[in-house]
Every structure is written in structure tokens, then in C-alpha cells.
mmCIF file of all heavy atoms in Angstrom:
data_model
loop_
_atom_site.group_PDB
_atom_site.id
_atom_site.type_symbol
_atom_site.label_atom_id
_atom_site.label_comp_id
_atom_site.label_asym_id
_atom_site.label_seq_id
_atom_site.Cartn_x
_atom_site.Cartn_y
_atom_site.Cartn_z
ATOM 1 N N ALA A 649 5.323 -7.347 6.487
ATOM 2 C CA ALA A 649 6.672 -7.435 5.955
ATOM 3 C C ALA A 649 7.255 -6.072 5.606
ATOM 4 O O ALA A 649 8.433 -5.823 5.787
ATOM 5 C CB ALA A 649 6.690 -8.339 4.719
ATOM 6 N N LYS A 650 6.411 -5.160 5.094
ATOM 7 C CA LYS A 650 6.872 -3.843 4.670
ATOM 8 C C LYS A 650 5.809 -2.806 4.995
ATOM 9 O O LYS A 650 4.651 -3.146 5.196
ATOM 10 C CB LYS A 650 7.125 -3.829 3.153
ATOM 11 C CG LYS A 650 8.210 -4.776 2.677
ATOM 12 C CD LYS A 650 8.350 -4.677 1.171
ATOM 13 C CE LYS A 650 9.406 -5.647 0.639
ATOM 14 N NZ LYS A 650 9.526 -5.565 -0.828
ATOM 15 N N PRO A 651 6.202 -1.511 5.020
ATOM 16 C CA PRO A 651 5.182 -0.471 5.188
ATOM 17 C C PRO A 651 4.149 -0.559 4.072
ATOM 18 O O PRO A 651 4.472 -0.865 2.932
ATOM 19 C CB PRO A 651 5.983 0.832 5.102
ATOM 20 C CG PRO A 651 7.376 0.441 5.463
ATOM 21 C CD PRO A 651 7.551 -0.970 4.947
ATOM 22 N N TYR A 652 2.894 -0.282 4.427
ATOM 23 C CA TYR A 652 1.801 -0.423 3.478
ATOM 24 C C TYR A 652 1.806 0.647 2.417
ATOM 25 O O TYR A 652 1.419 0.421 1.289
ATOM 26 C CB TYR A 652 0.475 -0.379 4.255
ATOM 27 C CG TYR A 652 -0.763 -0.246 3.421
ATOM 28 C CD1 TYR A 652 -0.981 -1.063 2.313
ATOM 29 C CD2 TYR A 652 -1.711 0.705 3.737
ATOM 30 C CE1 TYR A 652 -2.132 -0.942 1.561
ATOM 31 C CE2 TYR A 652 -2.868 0.820 2.987
ATOM 32 C CZ TYR A 652 -3.067 0.001 1.892
ATOM 33 O OH TYR A 652 -4.202 0.134 1.158
ATOM 34 N N PHE A 653 2.264 1.863 2.766
ATOM 35 C CA PHE A 653 2.117 2.942 1.821
ATOM 36 C C PHE A 653 3.446 3.633 1.552
ATOM 37 O O PHE A 653 4.371 3.585 2.330
ATOM 38 C CB PHE A 653 1.086 3.961 2.299
ATOM 39 C CG PHE A 653 1.401 4.563 3.636
ATOM 40 C CD1 PHE A 653 2.057 5.769 3.721
ATOM 41 C CD2 PHE A 653 1.029 3.929 4.805
ATOM 42 C CE1 PHE A 653 2.334 6.334 4.941
ATOM 43 C CE2 PHE A 653 1.313 4.491 6.037
ATOM 44 C CZ PHE A 653 1.969 5.703 6.105
ATOM 45 N N THR A 654 3.533 4.283 0.420
ATOM 46 C CA THR A 654 4.707 5.040 0.036
ATOM 47 C C THR A 654 4.243 6.216 -0.790
ATOM 48 O O THR A 654 3.101 6.299 -1.205
ATOM 49 C CB THR A 654 5.697 4.168 -0.763
ATOM 50 O OG1 THR A 654 6.888 4.916 -0.991
ATOM 51 C CG2 THR A 654 5.115 3.746 -2.104
ATOM 52 N N SER A 655 5.108 7.156 -1.038
ATOM 53 C CA SER A 655 4.752 8.282 -1.887
ATOM 54 C C SER A 655 5.689 8.312 -3.076
ATOM 55 O O SER A 655 6.900 8.179 -2.947
ATOM 56 C CB SER A 655 4.838 9.597 -1.118
ATOM 57 O OG SER A 655 6.125 9.769 -0.572
ATOM 58 N N GLY A 656 5.107 8.466 -4.252
ATOM 59 C CA GLY A 656 5.893 8.541 -5.456
ATOM 60 C C GLY A 656 6.457 9.937 -5.656
ATOM 61 O O GLY A 656 6.350 10.804 -4.786
ATOM 62 N N GLN A 657 7.052 10.182 -6.821
ATOM 63 C CA GLN A 657 7.647 11.484 -7.081
ATOM 64 C C GLN A 657 6.617 12.599 -7.021
ATOM 65 O O GLN A 657 6.929 13.738 -6.697
ATOM 66 C CB GLN A 657 8.321 11.462 -8.447
ATOM 67 C CG GLN A 657 9.550 10.563 -8.484
ATOM 68 C CD GLN A 657 10.235 10.602 -9.829
ATOM 69 O OE1 GLN A 657 9.674 11.078 -10.805
ATOM 70 N NE2 GLN A 657 11.453 10.114 -9.879
ATOM 71 N N SER A 658 5.389 12.283 -7.348
ATOM 72 C CA SER A 658 4.328 13.282 -7.325
ATOM 73 C C SER A 658 3.823 13.557 -5.915
ATOM 74 O O SER A 658 3.048 14.467 -5.697
ATOM 75 C CB SER A 658 3.141 12.813 -8.182
ATOM 76 O OG SER A 658 2.555 11.669 -7.598
ATOM 77 N N GLY A 659 4.262 12.748 -4.931
ATOM 78 C CA GLY A 659 3.780 12.902 -3.567
ATOM 79 C C GLY A 659 2.472 12.187 -3.311
ATOM 80 O O GLY A 659 1.935 12.227 -2.225
ATOM 81 N N GLN A 660 1.945 11.482 -4.340
ATOM 82 C CA GLN A 660 0.665 10.787 -4.196
ATOM 83 C C GLN A 660 0.889 9.450 -3.509
ATOM 84 O O GLN A 660 1.805 8.708 -3.831
ATOM 85 C CB GLN A 660 0.050 10.549 -5.570
ATOM 86 C CG GLN A 660 -1.299 9.873 -5.478
ATOM 87 C CD GLN A 660 -2.346 10.648 -6.233
ATOM 88 O OE1 GLN A 660 -2.049 11.514 -7.008
ATOM 89 N NE2 GLN A 660 -3.589 10.322 -5.998
ATOM 90 N N LEU A 661 0.036 9.141 -2.539
ATOM 91 C CA LEU A 661 0.150 7.873 -1.833
ATOM 92 C C LEU A 661 -0.371 6.743 -2.685
ATOM 93 O O LEU A 661 -1.343 6.894 -3.426
ATOM 94 C CB LEU A 661 -0.632 7.922 -0.524
ATOM 95 C CG LEU A 661 -0.030 8.850 0.542
ATOM 96 C CD1 LEU A 661 -0.995 8.981 1.687
ATOM 97 C CD2 LEU A 661 1.285 8.314 1.017
ATOM 98 N N LYS A 662 0.266 5.587 -2.592
ATOM 99 C CA LYS A 662 -0.191 4.424 -3.343
ATOM 100 C C LYS A 662 0.110 3.168 -2.538
ATOM 101 O O LYS A 662 1.072 3.119 -1.777
ATOM 102 C CB LYS A 662 0.505 4.357 -4.688
ATOM 103 C CG LYS A 662 2.032 4.327 -4.599
ATOM 104 C CD LYS A 662 2.671 4.399 -5.968
ATOM 105 C CE LYS A 662 4.201 4.388 -5.856
ATOM 106 N NZ LYS A 662 4.852 4.471 -7.173
ATOM 107 N N PRO A 663 -0.712 2.114 -2.686
ATOM 108 C CA PRO A 663 -0.427 0.860 -1.995
ATOM 109 C C PRO A 663 0.855 0.246 -2.524
ATOM 110 O O PRO A 663 1.209 0.427 -3.689
ATOM 111 C CB PRO A 663 -1.641 -0.017 -2.333
ATOM 112 C CG PRO A 663 -2.686 0.921 -2.810
ATOM 113 C CD PRO A 663 -1.949 2.062 -3.450
ATOM 114 N N MET A 664 1.550 -0.486 -1.653
ATOM 115 C CA MET A 664 2.735 -1.206 -2.084
ATOM 116 C C MET A 664 2.371 -2.643 -2.383
ATOM 117 O O MET A 664 1.453 -3.215 -1.803
ATOM 118 C CB MET A 664 3.801 -1.160 -0.993
ATOM 119 C CG MET A 664 4.335 0.219 -0.707
ATOM 120 S SD MET A 664 5.628 0.207 0.540
ATOM 121 C CE MET A 664 6.940 -0.593 -0.362
ATOM 122 N N SER A 665 3.096 -3.258 -3.303
ATOM 123 C CA SER A 665 2.926 -4.670 -3.590
ATOM 124 C C SER A 665 3.810 -5.446 -2.632
ATOM 125 O O SER A 665 5.020 -5.307 -2.645
ATOM 126 C CB SER A 665 3.325 -4.966 -5.037
ATOM 127 O OG SER A 665 3.218 -6.341 -5.301
ATOM 128 N N LEU A 666 3.206 -6.230 -1.772
ATOM 129 C CA LEU A 666 3.953 -6.956 -0.756
ATOM 130 C C LEU A 666 4.069 -8.419 -1.161
ATOM 131 O O LEU A 666 3.115 -9.170 -1.072
ATOM 132 C CB LEU A 666 3.257 -6.838 0.596
ATOM 133 C CG LEU A 666 2.962 -5.400 1.065
ATOM 134 C CD1 LEU A 666 2.353 -5.438 2.456
ATOM 135 C CD2 LEU A 666 4.212 -4.564 1.048
ATOM 136 N N GLY A 667 5.242 -8.801 -1.607
ATOM 137 C CA GLY A 667 5.449 -10.183 -1.997
ATOM 138 C C GLY A 667 4.522 -10.611 -3.127
ATOM 139 O O GLY A 667 4.061 -11.743 -3.162
ATOM 140 N N GLY A 668 4.262 -9.688 -4.034
ATOM 141 C CA GLY A 668 3.396 -10.007 -5.157
ATOM 142 C C GLY A 668 1.922 -9.843 -4.864
ATOM 143 O O GLY A 668 1.083 -10.040 -5.732
ATOM 144 N N VAL A 669 1.581 -9.463 -3.623
ATOM 145 C CA VAL A 669 0.172 -9.280 -3.241
ATOM 146 C C VAL A 669 -0.130 -7.803 -3.193
ATOM 147 O O VAL A 669 0.503 -7.057 -2.440
ATOM 148 C CB VAL A 669 -0.114 -9.917 -1.861
ATOM 149 C CG1 VAL A 669 -1.551 -9.671 -1.452
ATOM 150 C CG2 VAL A 669 0.203 -11.400 -1.893
ATOM 151 N N GLN A 670 -1.066 -7.334 -4.011
ATOM 152 C CA GLN A 670 -1.475 -5.942 -3.963
ATOM 153 C C GLN A 670 -2.402 -5.752 -2.772
ATOM 154 O O GLN A 670 -3.398 -6.459 -2.623
ATOM 155 C CB GLN A 670 -2.205 -5.546 -5.255
ATOM 156 C CG GLN A 670 -2.518 -4.066 -5.342
ATOM 157 C CD GLN A 670 -1.274 -3.222 -5.550
ATOM 158 O OE1 GLN A 670 -0.257 -3.713 -5.958
ATOM 159 N NE2 GLN A 670 -1.366 -1.941 -5.242
ATOM 160 N N VAL A 671 -2.071 -4.809 -1.904
ATOM 161 C CA VAL A 671 -2.794 -4.637 -0.662
ATOM 162 C C VAL A 671 -4.083 -3.853 -0.897
ATOM 163 O O VAL A 671 -4.081 -2.798 -1.489
ATOM 164 C CB VAL A 671 -1.927 -3.894 0.377
ATOM 165 C CG1 VAL A 671 -2.721 -3.657 1.647
ATOM 166 C CG2 VAL A 671 -0.679 -4.682 0.668
ATOM 167 N N ASP A 672 -5.165 -4.405 -0.413
ATOM 168 C CA ASP A 672 -6.458 -3.731 -0.386
ATOM 169 C C ASP A 672 -6.774 -3.493 1.084
ATOM 170 O O ASP A 672 -6.816 -4.434 1.868
ATOM 171 C CB ASP A 672 -7.518 -4.605 -1.034
ATOM 172 C CG ASP A 672 -8.925 -4.004 -0.942
ATOM 173 O OD1 ASP A 672 -9.099 -2.958 -0.307
ATOM 174 O OD2 ASP A 672 -9.822 -4.606 -1.518
ATOM 175 N N ARG A 673 -6.977 -2.213 1.497
ATOM 176 C CA ARG A 673 -7.182 -1.909 2.908
ATOM 177 C C ARG A 673 -8.324 -2.712 3.507
ATOM 178 O O ARG A 673 -8.320 -3.104 4.656
ATOM 179 C CB ARG A 673 -7.463 -0.416 3.091
ATOM 180 C CG ARG A 673 -7.614 -0.008 4.533
ATOM 181 C CD ARG A 673 -7.652 1.490 4.669
ATOM 182 N NE ARG A 673 -8.777 2.081 3.972
ATOM 183 C CZ ARG A 673 -9.996 2.171 4.491
ATOM 184 N NH1 ARG A 673 -10.226 1.711 5.707
ATOM 185 N NH2 ARG A 673 -10.973 2.745 3.827
ATOM 186 N N LYS A 674 -9.337 -3.024 2.705
ATOM 187 C CA LYS A 674 -10.485 -3.753 3.223
ATOM 188 C C LYS A 674 -10.161 -5.196 3.575
ATOM 189 O O LYS A 674 -10.877 -5.854 4.297
ATOM 190 C CB LYS A 674 -11.625 -3.728 2.201
ATOM 191 C CG LYS A 674 -12.205 -2.337 1.962
ATOM 192 C CD LYS A 674 -13.313 -2.374 0.931
ATOM 193 C CE LYS A 674 -13.854 -0.978 0.671
ATOM 194 N NZ LYS A 674 -14.922 -1.008 -0.371
ATOM 195 N N SER A 675 -9.025 -5.688 3.048
ATOM 196 C CA SER A 675 -8.675 -7.090 3.318
ATOM 197 C C SER A 675 -7.530 -7.213 4.313
ATOM 198 O O SER A 675 -6.980 -8.282 4.483
ATOM 199 C CB SER A 675 -8.275 -7.769 1.994
ATOM 200 O OG SER A 675 -7.065 -7.242 1.504
ATOM 201 N N VAL A 676 -7.188 -6.112 4.972
ATOM 202 C CA VAL A 676 -6.050 -6.148 5.882
ATOM 203 C C VAL A 676 -6.272 -7.082 7.053
ATOM 204 O O VAL A 676 -5.375 -7.792 7.485
ATOM 205 C CB VAL A 676 -5.739 -4.720 6.389
ATOM 206 C CG1 VAL A 676 -4.772 -4.764 7.553
ATOM 207 C CG2 VAL A 676 -5.158 -3.886 5.266
ATOM 208 N N TYR A 677 -7.487 -7.119 7.582
ATOM 209 C CA TYR A 677 -7.742 -7.862 8.811
ATOM 210 C C TYR A 677 -8.427 -9.196 8.558
ATOM 211 O O TYR A 677 -9.256 -9.319 7.672
ATOM 212 C CB TYR A 677 -8.585 -7.002 9.773
ATOM 213 C CG TYR A 677 -7.819 -5.796 10.174
ATOM 214 C CD1 TYR A 677 -8.003 -4.600 9.496
ATOM 215 C CD2 TYR A 677 -6.859 -5.859 11.170
ATOM 216 C CE1 TYR A 677 -7.253 -3.491 9.822
ATOM 217 C CE2 TYR A 677 -6.117 -4.745 11.499
ATOM 218 C CZ TYR A 677 -6.308 -3.578 10.835
ATOM 219 O OH TYR A 677 -5.562 -2.480 11.144
#
């Protein structure tokens, strides 16, 4: 539905919450 990652003001990457689901890379597939 949306890109998995974004960068905050600090430039640090963080997972996005997709429809209330916090994405864990290990559960992507």
C-alpha cells in the first residue's frame, strides 16, 4: 500500500506503520 521506509528529520530510516500494522522485515514474505 505504501513505501516501507521513510527518513525522519534526523535522516534516520524507520519502518512505516501500514494501516496500523508495524512492518517487520522478517515478516514481509
Side-chain angles (χ1 to χ4, degrees):
K650 297 179 182 179
Y652 169 49
F653 58 96
T654 186
S655 56
Q657 292 182 346
S658 66
Q660 182 127 14
L661 291 171
K662 57 186 179 181
M664 295 182 70
S665 177
L666 306 184
V669 178
Q670 187 70 19
V671 177
D672 175 355
R673 183 170 62 84
K674 294 179 182 179
S675 68
V676 168
Y677 296 96

